[in-house]
Amino acid sequence: MKPTNIFDPNYFHKVVDCQWACPAHTPVPEYIRLIAQERYTEAYMLNWDSNVFPGVLGRTCDRPCEPACRRVRTEENPVAICRLKRVAADNKGDIAAYLPKVPAQKNGRKIALIGGGPASLAVARDLLPLGYEIDLFDKDPAGGGMMRSQIPAFRLPEEVLDEEVNLILDMGVNAHFNHEVTSMKEMLDKNYDAYFVGTGAPKGRDLELPGRAEVGPHIHIGIEWLASVAFGHIDSIEGKVIVMGGGNTAMDCCRTALRLGAESVSVVVRSAFDVMKASDWEKEDAMNEGIPIINNHPPKAYVHENGKLKGVLFDKVEAIKGDDGRYTYEPTGEEVFMECDHVLMAIGQDNHCPWIERDVGIEFDKWDCPVLDEETLQSDNPKVFFGGDSAFGPENIIWASAHAHKAAISIHLFCQGKDLKADRPPEGVNLLSTKMGVHEWAYDSNHDPSARHLVPHADPAKALSDVKLEVELGFDRALGAKEAQRCLNCDVQTVFSEKLCIECDACVDICPMDCISFTENAEEDVLRNLLTAPASNKEQDLYVSEDLKTGRVMVKDEDVCLHCGLCAERCPTNAWDMQRSVVHVPQLGSYSAG
Amino acid sequence: MTFVTKPRVHHPRLPVNEIGLTRRDYEGSVSTLCAGCGHDSVSAAIVQACANLSIPPHQFAKLSGIGCSSKTPSYFLNKSHGFNSVHGRMPSVATGANLANRELYCIGVSGDGDSASIGLGQFAHIVRRRINMLYVVDNNGTYGLTKGQFSATNDKGSTSKRGVPNLYDPIDLVSMALQLGASFVARSFSGDKKQLVPLIQAGLKHKGMAFIDVISPCVAFNNHNGSTKSYEYVRGHTQPVVGADYIPESEEITADYAPGTTEDVKMPDGSMLRLHKIDDDYDPHDRVKALNYVQSRQAQGEVVTGLLYMEEDPMDCHDILRTVEKPLNALQDDVLCPGGDALAGINESYR
Ligand SMILES: Cc1cc2nc3c(=O)[nH]c(=O)nc-3n(C[C@H](O)[C@H](O)[C@H](O)COP(=O)(O)OP(=O)(O)OC[C@H]3O[C@@H](n4cnc5c(N)ncnc54)[C@H](O)[C@@H]3O)c2cc1C
Ligand SMILES: Cc1ncc(C[n+]2csc(CCOP(=O)(O)OP(=O)(O)O)c2C)c(N)n1
Ligand code: SF4
Ligand code: SF4
Ligand code: SF4
Ligand SMILES: [Mg+2]
């Protein structure tokens, strides 16, 4: 193998598994260290910088970082990265001094944001400090998009959402709420310098089954029903409720129905439990509240008497797991009838922009998603950019923030007449030694073997009787500090200098995880098997040195390194150093104190 | 010295041996030796070899004298017996331990100062008595612990860190061991675990005195230009003659080798030692030839390594003394001390 180029910004970025997996590339270990130092405000701002809604995300993020966390590979349970973000948000002090200054003198460019969800708000946040004038239009009465209309208050309290939405609106957004945009043509005629479409994926799917027409009023589209609850149009549901679908919307529907007085609630899913789209923790929360999840039951017909819904008839199928891990479903011939008074339909969402005329230069694909350049998020109409759920279909809040940063860069380049690709700011990496003394490092290198700490929950009886009472209480400072110790500081890198190495094996002998080998070089597939511990996880890179004096190379398997620094402590010549890698992800402005 | 404790967590796919333990279960405390000391690699090799052999840690006794090398038993086999004796006196204690309990695997770790200077007499006699043990010398050509004086194994003309040459001829412990009757004699290098680990395994399984001279550089006092025991010098001057693979009884013997170059030697417990001869003429079963070979190569400035000599059907001290099979420490008092009448009978037989 060729020697590794550690100055390639992606090399060490990939080693920071959580940051690499985070769509917005939040510098996770750095904010976790700030929490450990009780510097909550700085930890908050570091998050705010990259993901824009730390208080919201600390409660609701889909957390792609957690399954990626190195601790999953070293011991099974990831660091509670998401809940630590909430610790920063809950304990922060006054952030006013850290906020970007918005110039009174505008730069003369006007941008229209259509939709007021997280994607549009984040674009506004990135562009306002550069002097742009921002007009935002949303058909809802308040900003936040689905964070407000869909995510139930028992997961995301209104005050938390308001605080982070208002922070952006108060930076000087000209917000037009209760304003539905019905024609893109009309918008384009207003001649804004650029447009950002952040209208989400607003159409909930329905299911045509025999009897559907007759039982109309008893069937509710999940996201519409949740929105009605959020905006106070619905405050109760009576009788027995069946929720159909296996995603997070289904979980929010069933838990909301339970709180609004349903006599009983069940979730019925056509597929098997382990392929349900809902996150594990959402499923757990629902089940802990006593809601049964009934799998392998595809619906067949609505059963009614003179238009009064009696229940739903299901087929029962058997799920058979193939060698490839996929399920096939065999009919059992058995039919199951389940009584109910209401059905909440939570079987997915679609993109839907009937208000964008098809002759304004924006192409759509067969799923009704706009055709976009993935790097710039520009549509075929060069003035129009998309982001969030409206871009590639339903995702989540953290993806909306990530798209927003990209789109804001594109809009800024576009308004300056620059090339959206050639002139895009590049990624970069800085390496800073953390050595402070012979055995002293600027980070806490000691490995903490504790198991993941559990987040305390509100009293179940109280939680179930109040749709607005937050269920998770979050870590307090003490628990947060403990959980923070579990982070392995994966951004403090093992950096090797071949010129200093005397090949004494001290690092090989001390390494608790058998990461380091000195061996003859070979092609990657061969080399992976020549190591102290075979490197079978091919998703993780090998760090290969230049040739050493003996003609061998040093090979480090990044897979399960604890970043404990013992290799550097035992090296007699400082050929190993522990250096903090700071990855620069391009973004307009940077406000944080981190 | 390292202040961080070595995390207990280990590689998720770390091999487990026949008794369900990983290599990490054979470790000791974190070393307090200088970072980069060859002795730490020897300890790591001992850990690996013991784990490979699937021997429960409590069946080992580790014994040592004084010196950096003699400190190392603290850094392996935490859950075994151990005795750190006075300078140069490890052999007496090892003899006692082995006589009292012949079932223990005794590992003596000593230094070139500990064995070739103050303890030379003890070394000579334990070899001569063929105590069943593995005797390892971490040979760095210096008194590391007392800050770098020349030791008796330092080569003539080799210089100290300040450039002063050594005036005396060295003692070669390998040659002495051969002369004094060791039934297993090997030399290796701390920086070559591929060679060292199987030698330690074979030495532990050998019945009788197994001696391994391990060249183990002292990074603090003897790793400079002008030293003949530095990492760089040793790498450039070692010459392996007979390599050894240790093959446990449970493992099927599969590999085929060209005839003449390999030889399989059966170990007492049914396991196998496969010798690879690099030089066809070399006979690792001929004590006199081995001695000649080692010395003639030495005269040319070469350090031969590998399994240099092995007696095929060796006698150990217990065989010579014809002691009972059962370890003496397990015998009941009435057996050990049959009483006044028996003594009178013995005395009577001499009249
Ligand atoms: C039930 C449910 C629960 C969810 N839970 C989570 C969660 O826990 N964590 C998570 O990360 N994600 C969650 N999501 C997904 C997340 O809410 C969305 O991915 C995210 O809000 C998308 O942001 P956005 O800015 O692209 O669009 P949206 O948030 O959908 O905002 C679009 C906005 O545009 C407005 N709009 C649409 N059309 C027009 C128009 N023509 N004129 C004017 N305004 C218009 C809408 O009113 C809305 O306010 C959930 C989704 C649902 C349905
Ligand atoms: C009776 C006695 N004499 C002298 C000493 C001082 N002393 C301690 S260690 C040592 C030499 C150790 O050299 P070596 O055995 O080669 O060990 P190394 O430190 O090199 O591994 C000496 C002379 C002592 N501890 N006890
Ligand atoms: S251990 Fe810490 S830095 Fe490493 S992946 Fe997990 S959260 Fe990120
Ligand atoms: S920091 Fe060094 S010693 Fe620690 S696990 Fe990583 S490679 Fe091994
Ligand atoms: S002084 Fe020499 S022998 Fe002693 S620990 Fe240091 S390097 Fe090793
Ligand atoms: Mg010595």
mmCIF file of all heavy atoms in Angstrom, chain A residues 439 446-447 502-505 509-510 512-514 536 550 559 566 569-570 572, chain B residues 1-3 6 9-11 13-14 23-24 33 35 40-41 44 193 231 235:
data_model
loop_
_atom_site.group_PDB
_atom_site.id
_atom_site.type_symbol
_atom_site.label_atom_id
_atom_site.label_comp_id
_atom_site.label_asym_id
_atom_site.label_seq_id
_atom_site.Cartn_x
_atom_site.Cartn_y
_atom_site.Cartn_z
ATOM 1 N N HIS A 439 3.900 12.882 30.364
ATOM 2 C CA HIS A 439 2.685 12.066 30.412
ATOM 3 C C HIS A 439 1.453 12.943 30.517
ATOM 4 O O HIS A 439 0.467 12.577 31.110
ATOM 5 C CB HIS A 439 2.729 11.115 31.608
ATOM 6 C CG HIS A 439 3.964 10.304 31.643
ATOM 7 N ND1 HIS A 439 4.174 9.263 30.774
ATOM 8 C CD2 HIS A 439 5.070 10.411 32.390
ATOM 9 C CE1 HIS A 439 5.376 8.757 31.004
ATOM 10 N NE2 HIS A 439 5.934 9.432 31.974
ATOM 11 N N ASN A 446 -7.391 9.014 29.693
ATOM 12 C CA ASN A 446 -7.779 7.811 30.426
ATOM 13 C C ASN A 446 -9.076 7.199 29.880
ATOM 14 O O ASN A 446 -10.043 7.917 29.671
ATOM 15 C CB ASN A 446 -8.014 8.185 31.895
ATOM 16 C CG ASN A 446 -7.128 7.361 32.797
ATOM 17 O OD1 ASN A 446 -6.832 6.204 32.491
ATOM 18 N ND2 ASN A 446 -6.696 7.952 33.886
ATOM 19 N N HIS A 447 -9.074 5.908 29.696
ATOM 20 C CA HIS A 447 -10.265 5.247 29.170
ATOM 21 C C HIS A 447 -11.263 4.988 30.296
ATOM 22 O O HIS A 447 -10.910 4.438 31.332
ATOM 23 C CB HIS A 447 -9.865 3.915 28.523
ATOM 24 C CG HIS A 447 -11.027 3.115 28.042
ATOM 25 N ND1 HIS A 447 -11.551 2.057 28.749
ATOM 26 C CD2 HIS A 447 -11.781 3.224 26.932
ATOM 27 C CE1 HIS A 447 -12.572 1.549 28.073
ATOM 28 N NE2 HIS A 447 -12.725 2.240 26.971
ATOM 29 N N ILE A 502 12.526 3.884 15.969
ATOM 30 C CA ILE A 502 13.660 2.956 16.029
ATOM 31 C C ILE A 502 13.183 1.501 16.019
ATOM 32 O O ILE A 502 13.941 0.580 16.280
ATOM 33 C CB ILE A 502 14.558 3.213 17.269
ATOM 34 C CG1 ILE A 502 13.745 3.094 18.556
ATOM 35 C CG2 ILE A 502 15.264 4.561 17.179
ATOM 36 C CD1 ILE A 502 14.597 3.053 19.820
ATOM 37 N N GLU A 503 11.910 1.311 15.757
ATOM 38 C CA GLU A 503 11.325 -0.032 15.639
ATOM 39 C C GLU A 503 11.564 -0.874 16.895
ATOM 40 O O GLU A 503 11.986 -2.024 16.808
ATOM 41 C CB GLU A 503 11.841 -0.745 14.384
ATOM 42 C CG GLU A 503 11.510 0.014 13.106
ATOM 43 C CD GLU A 503 12.033 -0.661 11.858
ATOM 44 O OE1 GLU A 503 11.676 -1.809 11.607
ATOM 45 O OE2 GLU A 503 12.815 -0.006 11.121
ATOM 46 N N CYS A 504 11.325 -0.288 18.059
ATOM 47 C CA CYS A 504 11.572 -1.015 19.310
ATOM 48 C C CYS A 504 10.358 -1.818 19.752
ATOM 49 O O CYS A 504 10.443 -2.579 20.710
ATOM 50 C CB CYS A 504 11.986 -0.053 20.415
ATOM 51 S SG CYS A 504 10.642 1.010 20.991
ATOM 52 N N ASP A 505 9.207 -1.655 19.092
ATOM 53 C CA ASP A 505 7.993 -2.421 19.418
ATOM 54 C C ASP A 505 7.266 -1.943 20.672
ATOM 55 O O ASP A 505 6.298 -2.573 21.092
ATOM 56 C CB ASP A 505 8.305 -3.915 19.624
ATOM 57 C CG ASP A 505 8.203 -4.702 18.327
ATOM 58 O OD1 ASP A 505 7.980 -4.080 17.282
ATOM 59 O OD2 ASP A 505 8.355 -5.940 18.378
ATOM 60 N N ASP A 509 3.595 -3.334 21.894
ATOM 61 C CA ASP A 509 3.417 -4.071 23.141
ATOM 62 C C ASP A 509 2.392 -3.428 24.068
ATOM 63 O O ASP A 509 1.660 -4.125 24.759
ATOM 64 C CB ASP A 509 4.756 -4.184 23.886
ATOM 65 C CG ASP A 509 5.758 -5.019 23.121
ATOM 66 O OD1 ASP A 509 5.314 -5.852 22.299
ATOM 67 O OD2 ASP A 509 6.979 -4.838 23.329
ATOM 68 N N ILE A 510 2.338 -2.107 24.087
ATOM 69 C CA ILE A 510 1.449 -1.462 25.055
ATOM 70 C C ILE A 510 0.025 -1.348 24.540
ATOM 71 O O ILE A 510 -0.920 -1.328 25.320
ATOM 72 C CB ILE A 510 1.977 -0.060 25.458
ATOM 73 C CG1 ILE A 510 1.260 0.457 26.727
ATOM 74 C CG2 ILE A 510 1.791 0.947 24.330
ATOM 75 C CD1 ILE A 510 1.662 -0.238 27.974
ATOM 76 N N PRO A 512 -3.533 -1.487 23.922
ATOM 77 C CA PRO A 512 -4.528 -2.419 24.460
ATOM 78 C C PRO A 512 -5.410 -3.038 23.384
ATOM 79 O O PRO A 512 -6.037 -4.061 23.614
ATOM 80 C CB PRO A 512 -5.371 -1.541 25.390
ATOM 81 C CG PRO A 512 -5.140 -0.137 24.945
ATOM 82 C CD PRO A 512 -3.772 -0.099 24.339
ATOM 83 N N MET A 513 -5.450 -2.408 22.207
ATOM 84 C CA MET A 513 -6.390 -2.868 21.189
ATOM 85 C C MET A 513 -5.701 -3.526 19.992
ATOM 86 O O MET A 513 -6.354 -3.778 18.976
ATOM 87 C CB MET A 513 -7.240 -1.684 20.701
ATOM 88 C CG MET A 513 -8.010 -0.979 21.792
ATOM 89 S SD MET A 513 -9.072 -2.081 22.762
ATOM 90 C CE MET A 513 -10.488 -2.210 21.692
ATOM 91 N N ASP A 514 -4.411 -3.788 20.086
ATOM 92 C CA ASP A 514 -3.683 -4.443 18.990
ATOM 93 C C ASP A 514 -3.833 -3.704 17.666
ATOM 94 O O ASP A 514 -4.041 -4.322 16.618
ATOM 95 C CB ASP A 514 -4.153 -5.894 18.813
ATOM 96 C CG ASP A 514 -3.759 -6.752 19.990
ATOM 97 O OD1 ASP A 514 -2.602 -6.651 20.426
ATOM 98 O OD2 ASP A 514 -4.603 -7.512 20.491
ATOM 99 N N SER A 536 -10.365 -6.753 9.863
ATOM 100 C CA SER A 536 -11.458 -7.282 9.044
ATOM 101 C C SER A 536 -12.529 -6.242 8.738
ATOM 102 O O SER A 536 -13.347 -6.455 7.872
ATOM 103 C CB SER A 536 -12.079 -8.488 9.738
ATOM 104 O OG SER A 536 -12.441 -8.142 11.055
ATOM 105 N N THR A 550 14.282 -0.947 8.524
ATOM 106 C CA THR A 550 14.371 -2.378 8.241
ATOM 107 C C THR A 550 13.670 -2.751 6.939
ATOM 108 O O THR A 550 13.625 -3.918 6.576
ATOM 109 C CB THR A 550 13.687 -3.196 9.346
ATOM 110 O OG1 THR A 550 12.340 -2.721 9.461
ATOM 111 C CG2 THR A 550 14.394 -3.058 10.673
ATOM 112 N N ASP A 559 -9.566 0.999 13.192
ATOM 113 C CA ASP A 559 -10.870 0.473 13.593
ATOM 114 C C ASP A 559 -11.238 0.648 15.068
ATOM 115 O O ASP A 559 -12.231 1.268 15.387
ATOM 116 C CB ASP A 559 -10.945 -1.016 13.207
ATOM 117 C CG ASP A 559 -12.336 -1.595 13.394
ATOM 118 O OD1 ASP A 559 -13.289 -0.803 13.516
ATOM 119 O OD2 ASP A 559 -12.470 -2.833 13.384
ATOM 120 N N LEU A 566 -1.448 5.736 24.783
ATOM 121 C CA LEU A 566 -0.397 4.909 25.392
ATOM 122 C C LEU A 566 0.751 4.660 24.417
ATOM 123 O O LEU A 566 1.915 4.608 24.821
ATOM 124 C CB LEU A 566 -0.981 3.579 25.876
ATOM 125 C CG LEU A 566 -1.736 3.660 27.197
ATOM 126 C CD1 LEU A 566 -2.410 2.326 27.519
ATOM 127 C CD2 LEU A 566 -0.789 4.031 28.336
ATOM 128 N N GLU A 569 2.880 7.557 24.744
ATOM 129 C CA GLU A 569 3.568 7.610 26.038
ATOM 130 C C GLU A 569 4.713 6.615 26.105
ATOM 131 O O GLU A 569 5.715 6.851 26.774
ATOM 132 C CB GLU A 569 2.589 7.303 27.181
ATOM 133 C CG GLU A 569 1.601 8.414 27.382
ATOM 134 C CD GLU A 569 0.974 8.412 28.768
ATOM 135 O OE1 GLU A 569 1.484 7.713 29.658
ATOM 136 O OE2 GLU A 569 -0.029 9.120 28.935
ATOM 137 N N ARG A 570 4.591 5.480 25.446
ATOM 138 C CA ARG A 570 5.618 4.452 25.531
ATOM 139 C C ARG A 570 6.672 4.607 24.441
ATOM 140 O O ARG A 570 7.643 3.847 24.424
ATOM 141 C CB ARG A 570 4.996 3.051 25.447
ATOM 142 C CG ARG A 570 4.107 2.683 26.613
ATOM 143 C CD ARG A 570 4.784 2.820 27.954
ATOM 144 N NE ARG A 570 5.851 1.851 28.165
ATOM 145 C CZ ARG A 570 6.705 1.892 29.180
ATOM 146 N NH1 ARG A 570 6.630 2.869 30.068
ATOM 147 N NH2 ARG A 570 7.634 0.984 29.310
ATOM 148 N N PRO A 572 9.898 5.870 22.879
ATOM 149 C CA PRO A 572 11.066 6.551 23.432
ATOM 150 C C PRO A 572 11.518 7.749 22.597
ATOM 151 O O PRO A 572 12.279 8.580 23.081
ATOM 152 C CB PRO A 572 12.147 5.471 23.427
ATOM 153 C CG PRO A 572 11.733 4.503 22.374
ATOM 154 C CD PRO A 572 10.231 4.539 22.345
ATOM 155 N N MET B 1 7.978 5.260 32.353
ATOM 156 C CA MET B 1 6.846 5.115 33.282
ATOM 157 C C MET B 1 5.605 5.739 32.662
ATOM 158 O O MET B 1 5.660 6.800 32.069
ATOM 159 C CB MET B 1 7.236 5.829 34.589
ATOM 160 C CG MET B 1 6.133 5.969 35.604
ATOM 161 S SD MET B 1 5.953 4.472 36.556
ATOM 162 C CE MET B 1 4.316 4.720 37.200
ATOM 163 N N THR B 2 4.534 5.067 32.755
ATOM 164 C CA THR B 2 3.285 5.558 32.199
ATOM 165 C C THR B 2 2.292 5.721 33.336
ATOM 166 O O THR B 2 2.171 4.849 34.175
ATOM 167 C CB THR B 2 2.749 4.537 31.181
ATOM 168 O OG1 THR B 2 3.733 4.401 30.171
ATOM 169 C CG2 THR B 2 1.460 4.978 30.557
ATOM 170 N N PHE B 3 1.581 6.836 33.360
ATOM 171 C CA PHE B 3 0.677 7.074 34.479
ATOM 172 C C PHE B 3 -0.745 6.607 34.202
ATOM 173 O O PHE B 3 -1.488 6.286 35.097
ATOM 174 C CB PHE B 3 0.682 8.559 34.843
ATOM 175 C CG PHE B 3 2.042 9.016 35.274
ATOM 176 C CD1 PHE B 3 2.642 10.123 34.705
ATOM 177 C CD2 PHE B 3 2.736 8.304 36.242
ATOM 178 C CE1 PHE B 3 3.902 10.525 35.100
ATOM 179 C CE2 PHE B 3 3.996 8.693 36.633
ATOM 180 C CZ PHE B 3 4.586 9.813 36.065
ATOM 181 N N LYS B 6 -3.398 0.884 31.814
ATOM 182 C CA LYS B 6 -3.753 0.289 30.523
ATOM 183 C C LYS B 6 -5.211 -0.179 30.587
ATOM 184 O O LYS B 6 -5.571 -0.957 31.468
ATOM 185 C CB LYS B 6 -2.819 -0.886 30.240
ATOM 186 C CG LYS B 6 -3.075 -1.535 28.899
ATOM 187 C CD LYS B 6 -1.924 -2.460 28.510
ATOM 188 C CE LYS B 6 -2.235 -3.228 27.246
ATOM 189 N NZ LYS B 6 -1.093 -3.985 26.748
ATOM 190 N N VAL B 9 -10.183 -3.043 28.397
ATOM 191 C CA VAL B 9 -10.881 -3.396 27.161
ATOM 192 C C VAL B 9 -9.860 -3.884 26.122
ATOM 193 O O VAL B 9 -8.729 -3.416 26.101
ATOM 194 C CB VAL B 9 -11.709 -2.190 26.647
ATOM 195 C CG1 VAL B 9 -10.920 -0.930 26.658
ATOM 196 C CG2 VAL B 9 -12.273 -2.418 25.260
ATOM 197 N N HIS B 10 -10.263 -4.865 25.325
ATOM 198 C CA HIS B 10 -9.328 -5.393 24.334
ATOM 199 C C HIS B 10 -9.986 -5.527 22.974
ATOM 200 O O HIS B 10 -11.193 -5.289 22.827
ATOM 201 C CB HIS B 10 -8.739 -6.723 24.800
ATOM 202 C CG HIS B 10 -9.765 -7.788 25.061
ATOM 203 N ND1 HIS B 10 -10.508 -8.353 24.060
ATOM 204 C CD2 HIS B 10 -10.174 -8.370 26.207
ATOM 205 C CE1 HIS B 10 -11.315 -9.243 24.573
ATOM 206 N NE2 HIS B 10 -11.163 -9.280 25.879
ATOM 207 N N HIS B 11 -9.189 -5.914 22.006
ATOM 208 C CA HIS B 11 -9.698 -6.045 20.633
ATOM 209 C C HIS B 11 -10.906 -6.998 20.634
ATOM 210 O O HIS B 11 -10.857 -8.059 21.240
ATOM 211 C CB HIS B 11 -8.590 -6.593 19.730
ATOM 212 C CG HIS B 11 -8.904 -6.452 18.278
ATOM 213 N ND1 HIS B 11 -9.800 -7.268 17.635
ATOM 214 C CD2 HIS B 11 -8.466 -5.568 17.353
ATOM 215 C CE1 HIS B 11 -9.893 -6.905 16.360
ATOM 216 N NE2 HIS B 11 -9.094 -5.866 16.170
ATOM 217 N N ARG B 13 -12.018 -8.995 18.583
ATOM 218 C CA ARG B 13 -11.823 -10.339 18.029
ATOM 219 C C ARG B 13 -10.504 -10.951 18.494
ATOM 220 O O ARG B 13 -9.895 -11.747 17.804
ATOM 221 C CB ARG B 13 -11.909 -10.285 16.496
ATOM 222 C CG ARG B 13 -13.314 -9.934 16.005
ATOM 223 C CD ARG B 13 -13.417 -9.700 14.520
ATOM 224 N NE ARG B 13 -12.723 -8.522 14.058
ATOM 225 C CZ ARG B 13 -13.184 -7.266 14.175
ATOM 226 N NH1 ARG B 13 -14.350 -7.024 14.749
ATOM 227 N NH2 ARG B 13 -12.481 -6.244 13.732
ATOM 228 N N LEU B 14 -10.086 -10.598 19.713
ATOM 229 C CA LEU B 14 -8.846 -11.146 20.268
ATOM 230 C C LEU B 14 -9.014 -12.656 20.477
ATOM 231 O O LEU B 14 -10.001 -13.088 21.068
ATOM 232 C CB LEU B 14 -8.560 -10.452 21.608
ATOM 233 C CG LEU B 14 -7.189 -10.661 22.229
ATOM 234 C CD1 LEU B 14 -6.097 -10.091 21.330
ATOM 235 C CD2 LEU B 14 -7.116 -9.984 23.592
ATOM 236 N N ARG B 23 -4.896 -13.307 25.554
ATOM 237 C CA ARG B 23 -3.539 -12.888 25.889
ATOM 238 C C ARG B 23 -3.553 -11.883 27.034
ATOM 239 O O ARG B 23 -2.681 -11.887 27.904
ATOM 240 C CB ARG B 23 -2.913 -12.262 24.647
ATOM 241 C CG ARG B 23 -1.454 -11.940 24.798
ATOM 242 C CD ARG B 23 -0.979 -11.148 23.605
ATOM 243 N NE ARG B 23 -1.384 -9.774 23.708
ATOM 244 C CZ ARG B 23 -1.959 -9.085 22.738
ATOM 245 N NH1 ARG B 23 -2.205 -9.632 21.585
ATOM 246 N NH2 ARG B 23 -2.299 -7.833 22.919
ATOM 247 N N ARG B 24 -4.576 -11.021 27.052
ATOM 248 C CA ARG B 24 -4.620 -9.964 28.057
ATOM 249 C C ARG B 24 -4.718 -10.529 29.475
ATOM 250 O O ARG B 24 -4.342 -9.869 30.440
ATOM 251 C CB ARG B 24 -5.791 -9.014 27.769
ATOM 252 C CG ARG B 24 -5.704 -8.286 26.433
ATOM 253 C CD ARG B 24 -4.573 -7.277 26.390
ATOM 254 N NE ARG B 24 -4.644 -6.271 27.424
ATOM 255 C CZ ARG B 24 -5.427 -5.208 27.394
ATOM 256 N NH1 ARG B 24 -6.228 -5.012 26.369
ATOM 257 N NH2 ARG B 24 -5.427 -4.338 28.374
ATOM 258 N N LEU B 33 9.468 0.533 33.332
ATOM 259 C CA LEU B 33 10.775 0.673 32.672
ATOM 260 C C LEU B 33 10.747 1.863 31.711
ATOM 261 O O LEU B 33 9.688 2.401 31.397
ATOM 262 C CB LEU B 33 11.098 -0.607 31.900
ATOM 263 C CG LEU B 33 11.189 -1.887 32.734
ATOM 264 C CD1 LEU B 33 11.638 -3.045 31.852
ATOM 265 C CD2 LEU B 33 12.139 -1.725 33.904
ATOM 266 N N ALA B 35 10.497 3.946 28.465
ATOM 267 C CA ALA B 35 9.774 3.705 27.224
ATOM 268 C C ALA B 35 10.761 3.225 26.160
ATOM 269 O O ALA B 35 11.810 3.829 25.975
ATOM 270 C CB ALA B 35 9.091 4.984 26.760
ATOM 271 N N ASP B 40 10.678 -4.818 27.825
ATOM 272 C CA ASP B 40 9.214 -4.841 27.736
ATOM 273 C C ASP B 40 8.734 -5.743 26.601
ATOM 274 O O ASP B 40 7.684 -6.374 26.692
ATOM 275 C CB ASP B 40 8.653 -3.424 27.519
ATOM 276 C CG ASP B 40 8.630 -2.619 28.814
ATOM 277 O OD1 ASP B 40 8.592 -3.237 29.903
ATOM 278 O OD2 ASP B 40 8.652 -1.377 28.737
ATOM 279 N N SER B 41 9.520 -5.783 25.538
ATOM 280 C CA SER B 41 9.149 -6.670 24.430
ATOM 281 C C SER B 41 9.326 -8.125 24.834
ATOM 282 O O SER B 41 8.558 -8.992 24.412
ATOM 283 C CB SER B 41 10.009 -6.396 23.203
ATOM 284 O OG SER B 41 9.638 -5.176 22.631
ATOM 285 N N ALA B 44 6.354 -8.989 26.758
ATOM 286 C CA ALA B 44 5.210 -9.179 25.853
ATOM 287 C C ALA B 44 5.288 -10.540 25.174
ATOM 288 O O ALA B 44 4.274 -11.213 24.975
ATOM 289 C CB ALA B 44 5.156 -8.070 24.807
ATOM 290 N N LYS B 193 9.790 -10.941 17.716
ATOM 291 C CA LYS B 193 8.852 -11.823 18.435
ATOM 292 C C LYS B 193 8.512 -13.071 17.634
ATOM 293 O O LYS B 193 8.195 -14.104 18.209
ATOM 294 C CB LYS B 193 7.570 -11.069 18.769
ATOM 295 C CG LYS B 193 7.765 -10.094 19.907
ATOM 296 C CD LYS B 193 6.443 -9.772 20.559
ATOM 297 C CE LYS B 193 6.575 -8.556 21.426
ATOM 298 N NZ LYS B 193 6.808 -7.320 20.644
ATOM 299 N N TYR B 231 19.566 -1.433 18.992
ATOM 300 C CA TYR B 231 18.584 -1.971 18.047
ATOM 301 C C TYR B 231 19.185 -2.084 16.657
ATOM 302 O O TYR B 231 19.077 -3.098 15.981
ATOM 303 C CB TYR B 231 17.340 -1.075 17.987
ATOM 304 C CG TYR B 231 16.387 -1.287 19.142
ATOM 305 C CD1 TYR B 231 16.299 -0.365 20.182
ATOM 306 C CD2 TYR B 231 15.580 -2.422 19.194
ATOM 307 C CE1 TYR B 231 15.423 -0.567 21.237
ATOM 308 C CE2 TYR B 231 14.711 -2.638 20.244
ATOM 309 C CZ TYR B 231 14.621 -1.699 21.270
ATOM 310 O OH TYR B 231 13.767 -1.907 22.312
ATOM 311 N N ARG B 235 20.126 -5.634 14.704
ATOM 312 C CA ARG B 235 19.382 -5.960 13.471
ATOM 313 C C ARG B 235 20.345 -6.243 12.314
ATOM 314 O O ARG B 235 20.092 -7.115 11.491
ATOM 315 C CB ARG B 235 18.462 -4.803 13.078
ATOM 316 C CG ARG B 235 17.225 -4.735 13.922
ATOM 317 C CD ARG B 235 16.019 -4.230 13.132
ATOM 318 N NE ARG B 235 14.823 -4.409 13.940
ATOM 319 C CZ ARG B 235 14.384 -3.498 14.813
ATOM 320 N NH1 ARG B 235 15.011 -2.352 14.954
ATOM 321 N NH2 ARG B 235 13.326 -3.736 15.544
#
